Amino acid sequence: MSLAKRIIPCLDIDKGRVVKGVKFLDVKQAGDPVEVARRYDRQGADELVFLDITASHEDRGTLMEIVEQVAGEVFIPLTVGGGVRSLADVRRLLSAGADKVSINTAAINNPDFIGEAAARYGSQCIVTALDAKRVSKADEPPRWEIFTHGGRRETGIEVIGWAQKLAGLGAGEILLTSMDKDGTQSGFDVELTRAVSDTVDIPVIASGGVGDLSDLYDGLADGRADAVLAASIFHFGTYTIQEAKNFLAERGLVVRDLVSR
Amino acid sequence: MATVGIIDYGMGNLHSISKALYYVSSGESIEISADPKVLASKDRLILPGVGAIGYCMSELARLGLDDMIHRYIETRPLMGICLGIEMLMAHSEESGGVDCLGAFAGNTVAFARPDAQPDGRRRKIPHMGWNQIRQTRDHQLWQNIHNDSWFYFVHSYYVVPENESEILGKTTYGPEFGSVVIRPNVFAVQFHPEKSQSPGLQMLANFLAWNGQAN
């Protein structure tokens, strides 16, 4: 018996639909977040992450409805992020049925927001999302900094120290995305993942770059992540969650199987 | 119609547990309330909780819920979830020591923060994620749940009941600890059944059918 490594599909939501395309469903249901959540739950996803990439505030209400509907029938942890800026935003998402809220840019502008949210709602529901980019040259010791706006805007904040700071303020978990790797399908930045995971006591979710199942294994085994987040390989139906778990289990990692439920 | 009350003392997210109970209920009415009179009228109660135990205990006392719980469990079933199991112990070592409800003899203690292993690897705290429960004996609350089923945990402290016979299930994370405890009319779990998919839902259904007997 021991703690299982978690596999977490990520759904990017824009105007109430899953974007990045979900090819394993028939066309009619392809973008329906509730249907996608149901499928992943049945396949054995350990948690689900919804990221609201809607630009306008008017469409935010749609996300609340989606979270509410999913929370009424999918009983695994749900994390919701995207544009979370105030305690009121956190409260609204938790009330809709989210179990954890992911905070990104707001923590950069005001790290104490992480502390305030954790003090009010508990560390267990505060995920801090770090978007990291390697800034060191090839012959230098590795160094990563936090970037915003999809990796376009630098902040000058060094990632390892920042992760320690936010963990100290009360974040319950770190969602660590490599902006160098995101969307490349060439594997996680394993060195980054390991550097962060070995420096904080709280769990780290590796994100950005998964192209095949061995990437998941590398992030968990070599990167020492506690969980892995992926979108495309599951959305495009390249692999099911169950196939991913079988692959990891065959290589000696502990995963939650559905046999004993 | 049977009635279920969820004890609301201002901490934590009660929507998830409410939705899960509603999902497995067979017509029971489910109400979230902070009013001791309302809660005392229910057929069953749920004591959920997250956050700092000192604050939770003082809120229970301020709202008159601690006395209500003591009287309630003399006659009817109550289920503690996550921080709820810790609040039902006699004492917690969290934040310098907090006296708790004392439904179970024993203490709540912190997971030790071990030094990083020689290879730099750390055992993370909180214990967050899916882990298994070894059923230490048969009970109707385990009905239709396989031994070693997976449940979703998030906690930094764990309970150490004095009476081994009150432990119904155990989980290993560093130490092996009691993750499910029972005594007449009181059933408590360290994990989140409302987030533990089929086995968790089954356990909530079993609680709704429980006659309150410990054996």
Side-chain angles (χ1 to χ4, degrees):
Chain A
M1 279 204 298
S2 69
L3 188 63
K5 297 288 189 183
R6 286 171 280 154
I7 297 188
I8 308 176
C10 178
L11 284 63
D12 286 353
I13 310 287
D14 186 18
K15 298 187 183 69
R17 308 291 287 175
V18 182
V19 294
K20 281 191 185 171
V22 179
K23 302 255 174 78
F24 65 85
L25 299 174
D26 61 61
V27 177
K28 217 168 77 183
Q29 299 175 318
D32 177 2
V34 180
E35 182 56 29
V36 175
R38 268 187 213 126
R39 297 282 182 111
Y40 284 141
D41 175 49
R42 263 183 249 131
Q43 286 183 10
D46 295 310
E47 301 192 23
L48 294 173
V49 169
F50 293 87
L51 286 185
D52 183 10
I53 61 167
T54 304
S56 70
H57 255 296
E58 300 82 73
D59 291 318
R60 287 268 149 77
T62 326
L63 180 77
M64 299 293 168
E65 286 165 29
I66 292 165
V67 171
E68 199 149 322
Q69 210 182 334
V70 171
E73 52 179 299
V74 171
F75 297 99
I76 58 177
L78 308 176
T79 300
V80 184
V84 178
R85 290 188 183 84
S86 65
L87 288 179
D89 291 338
V90 176
R91 184 176 50 80
R92 262 195 298 277
L93 288 169
L94 294 178
S95 301
D99 300 290
K100 309 180 196 181
V101 170
S102 172
I103 299 172
N104 191 341
T105 315
I108 294 166
N109 300 331
N110 174 23
D112 289 337
F113 177 44
I114 294 286
E116 288 161 21
R120 180 66 191 89
Y121 298 104
S123 291
Q124 83 295 330
C125 69
I126 304 302
V127 179
T128 182
L130 308 184
D131 291 347
K133 214 165 162 175
R134 197 179 278 253
V135 293
S136 52
K137 300 195 180 70
D139 56 346
E140 294 172 348
R143 179 184 161 90
W144 298 267
E145 289 183 2
I146 304 286
F147 278 68
T148 61
H149 298 79
R152 292 190 306 278
R153 193 173 297 179
E154 61 180 342
T155 64
I157 299 170
E158 188 274 323
V159 169
I160 307 299
W162 187 245
Q164 286 171 325
K165 180 184 168 88
L166 295 182
L169 284 169
E173 200 166 21
I174 290 173
L175 171 54
L176 178 65
T177 303
S178 162
M179 301 312 289
D180 303 303
K181 293 289 196 167
D182 202 29
T184 65
Q185 303 221 342
S186 63
F188 294 115
D189 184 337
V190 169
E191 205 177 1
L192 166 70
T193 307
R194 181 154 166 174
V196 174
S197 191
D198 280 357
T199 199
V200 294
D201 283 327
I202 58 175
V204 172
I205 305 167
S207 158
V210 176
D212 62 32
L213 299 182
S214 63
D215 294 335
L216 298 178
Y217 177 82
D218 292 345
L220 294 166
D222 300 334
R224 296 173 178 170
D226 302 281
V228 282
L229 186 105
S232 312
I233 62 161
F234 299 129
H235 290 350
F236 295 150
T238 321
Y239 304 101
T240 64
I241 308 274
Q242 190 58 56
E243 283 166 348
K245 288 192 168 183
N246 292 344
F247 180 91
L248 298 173
E250 282 162 13
R251 282 152 188 80
L253 295 182
V254 178
V255 293
R256 175 178 71 110
D257 53 37
L258 293 179
V259 181
S260 63
R261 70 179 177 175
Chain B
M1 187 173 62
T3 55
V4 182
I6 301 174
I7 303 173
D8 177 13
Y9 48 94
M11 284 298 283
N13 178 5
L14 307 179
H15 301 279
S16 292
I17 181 65
S18 167
K19 283 173 195 271
L21 281 169
Y22 180 76
Y23 190 83
V24 300
S25 68
S26 44
E28 290 90 346
S29 83
I30 296 152
E31 185 176 2
I32 298 173
S33 175
D35 183 342
K37 286 200 197 73
V38 169
L39 292 166
S41 73
K42 303 293 181 187
D43 298 316
R44 285 166 206 277
L45 290 183
I46 302 273
L47 176 64
V50 296
I53 201 164
Y55 184 74
C56 291
M57 288 307 303
S58 66
E59 284 301 286
L60 274 194
R62 189 177 66 78
L63 295 163
L65 292 167
D66 52 351
D67 290 339
M68 184 277 297
I69 290 171
H70 283 126
R71 284 194 301 275
Y72 190 92
I73 59 180
E74 287 171 17
T75 53
R76 282 157 297 164
L78 173 143
M79 178 177 185
I81 294 176
C82 194
L83 199 69
I85 192 176
E86 300 174 22
M87 293 162 78
L88 288 162
M89 305 304 288
H91 188 266
S92 170
E93 72 172 27
E94 189 177 338
S95 21
V98 177
D99 284 332
C100 297
L101 292 165
F104 295 91
N107 292 328
T108 297
V109 302
F111 281 112
R113 288 183 187 270
D115 295 332
Q117 291 165 39
D119 65 357
R121 200 178 294 267
R122 283 167 186 261
R123 191 173 80 227
K124 300 301 177 73
I125 298 178
H127 173 219
M128 178 187 281
W130 296 83
N131 205 331
Q132 288 170 287
I133 299 183
R134 177 169 70 83
Q135 301 174 11
T136 49
R137 63 180 160 95
D138 282 340
H139 194 278
Q140 70 175 109
L141 287 160
W142 286 130
Q143 197 180 338
N144 295 327
I145 300 173
H146 293 285
N147 194 25
D148 293 334
S149 286
W150 296 89
F151 294 87
Y152 186 80
F153 289 81
V154 186
H155 61 125
S156 301
Y157 292 80
Y158 62 95
V159 302
V160 185
E162 269 176 30
N163 303 319
E164 187 73 18
S165 63
E166 290 178 337
I167 296 176
L168 205 54
K170 290 187 174 185
T171 296
T172 303
Y173 188 65
E176 187 182 52
F177 62 92
S179 48
V180 183
V181 297
I182 192 166
R183 48 150 267 192
N185 290 329
V186 187
F187 169 55
V189 300
Q190 185 74 71
F191 54 89
H192 288 276
E194 75 279 16
K195 289 286 129 186
S196 298
Q197 227 213 14
S198 311
L201 295 173
Q202 180 66 51
M203 179 164 268
L204 291 175
N206 291 350
F207 171 69
L208 293 179
W210 182 39
N211 60 13
Q213 289 180 11
N215 295 306

